[in-house]
């Protein structure tokens, strides 16, 4: 048994030599990998240091530029404020100069004659006798207040000068059949105004934006259907609608042939109704004289035409009009829209001398007036401007008659 022990030891020694060789190779491999990792870490550190240095350099370059840009922005803001101030002063000076210019000359009513072939009711081109002691005219537009934006670019919002003082009436669009009624102005200014409104469905769709609410009635213009007995293309019908009873009280075909839009900048409106201290009026134009506006005094009870006038106010450039104390004020603008102004005043009674009529400018706003309504109880204008509802407060003065 003893000779076998040295043999076993030799066998174990022979097997241990290959294991030692493998361990040696493994150690060398691990050392190489660690060296490679160290080299890559060193490179990453160098790159990070370089990037940090570049970032500091970039920051140092940008800081003066940002400071300069901030100074330039502040200088531009100051210059813009100064320019706005100069522009406001310039506009006030322009307003003053415009008010010093005389109004467009009005043709004396006694020299005007009715054109041939005219078929209208009532007296034509005779001076109008005022029924009230109204003797005021516009001095200037004192202030403007934008209430909100409701509806489309064209429409009408107004109050009833003979009805509840707070109730608001809104007719959106140039062809529609649903009117909105708000119990108070506050309800109309809310974001959820449409849910606060009562809705009145009309028996016929209206045409244009020449409607009027007066004495509990809605007066609007309707185009009758064509065909035999239905009227021609130029035939328009005035409808008197009772808002409380929801019924048509009266209707009348407007007694003028060849109707055309009275305002060249508002082609959807053919008859523009207005109310003042004297009652109900209508502004229109015909092909017989396609360059000037016509004015008619209406009976609010029967819709009959009491008197008619051919005014010297041009259609070209006109966008809307309103009546105060028997005098027609025509609002003009440009295309594209600019600042609106009253450029022509025609007093049917002759109580206001043309050279004494103030030609006022309206404050800057969004676009062009689709409608303007005068409220004789409040001495304010309710205007629809590109979907915005605006109130203009007026400053009045006594008329100065011709000598």
């Amino acid at each position: 048994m003893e000779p076998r022990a040295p043999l076993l030891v030799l066998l174990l020694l022979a097997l241990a030599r290959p294991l030692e060789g493998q361990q040696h190779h493994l150690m060398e491999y691990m050392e190489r990998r660690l060296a490679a990792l160290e080299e890559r870490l060193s490179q990453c550190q160098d790159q990070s240091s370089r990037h940090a240095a570049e970032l500091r350099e970039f920051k140092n370059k940008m800081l003066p530029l940002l400071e300069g840009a901030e100074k330039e922005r502040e200088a531009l803001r100051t210059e813009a404020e100064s320019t706005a101030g100069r522009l406001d002063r310039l506009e006030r000076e322009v307003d003053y100069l415009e008010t010093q210019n005389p109004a467009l000359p009005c043709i004396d009513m006694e020299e005007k004659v009715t054109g041939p072939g005219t078929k209208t009711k009532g007296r034509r081109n005779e001076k109008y006798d005022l029924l009230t002691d109204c003797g005021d005219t516009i001095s200037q537009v004192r202030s403007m207040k934008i209430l909100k934006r409701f509806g489309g670019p064209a429409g009408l919002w107004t109050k009833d000068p003979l009805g509840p003082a707070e109730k608001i009436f809104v007719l959106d669009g140039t062809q529609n059949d649903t009117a909105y009624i708000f119990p108070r102005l506050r309800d109309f200014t809310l974001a959820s105004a449409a849910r606060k409104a009562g809705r009145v469905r009309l028996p016929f769709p209206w045409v244009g934006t020449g409607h009027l609410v007066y004495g509990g009635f809605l007066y609007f213009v309707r185009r009758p259907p064509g065909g035999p007995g239905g009227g021609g293309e130029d035939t328009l019908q005035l409808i008197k609608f009772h808002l409380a009873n929801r019924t048509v009280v009266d209707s009348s075909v407007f007694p003028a042939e060849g109707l055309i839009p009275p305002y060249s900048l508002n082609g959807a409106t053919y008859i523009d109704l207005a109310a003042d201290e004297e009652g109900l009026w209508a502004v229109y134009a015909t092909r017989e004289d396609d360059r000037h506006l016509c004015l008619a005094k209406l009976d609010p009870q029967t819709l009959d035409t009491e008197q008619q006038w051919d005014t010297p106010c041009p259609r070209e450039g006109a966008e809307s009009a309103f009546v105060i104390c028997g005098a027609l004020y025509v609002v003009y603008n440009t295309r594209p829209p600019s600042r609106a102004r009253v450029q022509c005043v025609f007093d049917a009674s002759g109580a206001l001398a043309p050279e004494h009529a103030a030609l006022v400018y309206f404050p800057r706003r969004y676009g062009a007036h689709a409608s303007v309504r005068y409220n004789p109880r409040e001495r304010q204008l309710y205007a629809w401007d590109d979907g915005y509802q605006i109130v203009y407060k007026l400053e009045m003065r006594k008329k100065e008659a011709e000598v």
Side-chain angles (χ1 to χ4, degrees):
M1 298 296 295
E2 294 180 1
R4 294 182 180 177
L7 181 60
L8 182 58
V9 173
L10 293 175
L11 181 60
L12 292 174
L13 292 173
L15 292 173
R17 290 194 185 96
L19 291 176
E20 292 178 357
Q22 292 179 1
Q23 290 177 354
H24 179 71
H25 290 304
L26 180 61
M27 291 298 294
E28 290 181 350
Y29 172 76
M30 294 297 295
E31 290 176 356
R32 288 195 302 272
R33 295 291 295 171
L34 289 173
L37 289 174
E38 289 176 355
E39 184 178 358
R40 294 181 63 182
L41 287 173
S42 178
Q43 292 177 356
C44 290
Q45 186 175 3
D46 293 342
Q47 292 178 358
S48 177
S49 300
R50 187 168 58 255
H51 291 163
E54 293 176 353
L55 182 61
R56 285 193 299 270
E57 184 180 358
F58 177 77
K59 182 179 179 181
N60 293 333
K61 290 181 179 179
M62 289 300 299
L63 283 176
L65 295 178
L66 290 174
E67 292 176 358
E70 182 64 23
K71 292 179 180 178
E72 291 181 2
R73 187 185 71 84
E74 185 65 22
L76 289 175
R77 186 184 66 80
T78 304
E79 185 177 353
E81 291 178 352
S82 175
T83 302
R86 292 197 299 270
L87 181 60
D88 289 339
R89 289 194 297 272
L90 178 61
E91 288 180 347
R92 289 195 296 269
E93 292 174 0
V94 170
D95 289 348
Y96 174 77
L97 292 175
E98 288 292 337
T99 57
Q100 304 308 305
N101 294 332
L104 296 179
C106 293
I107 301 175
D108 190 87
M109 292 296 97
E110 298 175 349
E111 296 179 358
K112 296 272 294 180
V113 295
T114 304
T118 303
K119 298 180 181 179
T120 57
K121 299 179 183 179
R123 297 172 294 165
R124 191 172 188 88
N125 297 329
E126 296 181 5
K127 289 187 176 181
Y128 175 76
D129 295 327
L130 292 173
L131 304 177
T132 69
D133 59 354
C134 182
D136 293 334
T137 183
I138 299 177
S139 174
Q140 64 177 346
V141 177
R142 188 172 61 186
S143 64
M144 175 186 75
K145 183 177 181 180
I146 302 171
L147 267 295
K148 66 175 303 175
R149 187 170 191 175
F150 181 94
L156 167 85
W157 81 295
T158 186
K159 289 185 177 181
D160 185 349
L162 303 180
E166 283 296 314
K167 191 171 289 188
I168 301 294
F169 302 88
V170 178
L171 286 81
D172 182 22
T174 58
Q175 291 185 349
N176 206 337
D177 62 356
T178 302
Y180 297 91
I181 302 179
F182 298 87
R184 293 176 299 276
L185 182 64
R186 179 176 176 273
D187 296 325
F188 178 61
T189 58
L190 296 176
S192 58
R195 294 199 297 268
K196 298 285 185 179
R199 299 173 186 242
V200 177
R201 185 75 177 269
L202 305 180
F204 316 108
W206 64 69
V207 175
T209 60
H211 337 296
L212 182 69
V213 178
Y214 188 74
F217 298 94
L218 171 62
Y219 297 83
F220 67 96
V221 180
R222 175 207 179 199
R223 188 185 299 280
E233 180 183 355
D234 301 329
T235 301
L236 293 173
Q237 191 176 22
L238 298 180
I239 304 295
K240 182 180 179 181
F241 181 79
H242 198 294
L243 288 168
N245 298 338
R246 312 290 176 91
T247 57
V248 174
V249 177
D250 205 348
S251 64
S252 173
V253 174
F254 194 75
E257 295 181 351
L259 287 171
I260 58 176
Y263 315 126
S264 66
L265 301 182
N266 188 356
T269 298
Y270 284 78
I271 301 174
D272 195 15
L273 301 175
D276 71 342
E277 296 81 356
E278 292 290 297
L280 192 62
W281 304 79
V283 183
Y284 64 100
T286 66
R287 291 192 180 92
E288 183 180 352
D289 181 5
D290 58 0
R291 295 184 303 168
H292 300 94
L293 303 182
C294 297
L295 178 67
K297 183 70 174 63
L298 304 180
D299 184 342
Q301 301 300 323
T302 63
L303 299 179
D304 290 338
T305 302
E306 298 176 346
Q307 283 185 252
Q308 294 173 298
W309 296 267
D310 300 320
T311 79
C313 297
R315 290 179 59 244
E316 185 65 29
E319 67 174 10
S320 58
F322 53 93
V323 180
I324 299 178
C325 289
L328 174 68
Y329 297 80
V330 186
V331 182
Y332 293 85
N333 208 319
T334 60
R335 187 180 285 123
S338 181
R339 292 189 68 199
R341 73 265 182 211
V342 174
Q343 189 170 306
C344 183
V345 181
F346 169 78
D347 192 346
S349 69
L352 177 64
E355 63 271 16
H356 295 151
L359 304 184
V360 299
Y361 269 76
F362 289 87
R364 288 178 298 172
R365 18 174 254 297
Y366 298 97
H369 291 117
S371 62
V372 178
R373 288 294 173 270
Y374 170 65
N375 188 305
R377 178 164 55 189
E378 300 175 347
R379 295 294 180 93
Q380 295 185 148
L381 299 177
Y382 289 80
W384 190 291
D385 177 9
D386 197 22
Y388 289 88
Q389 290 71 50
I390 300 176
V391 176
Y392 295 108
K393 290 187 177 182
L394 303 177
E395 185 174 308
M396 311 297 289
R397 61 176 173 81
K398 290 297 180 182
K399 292 181 180 179
E400 299 180 54
E402 286 184 276
V403 180

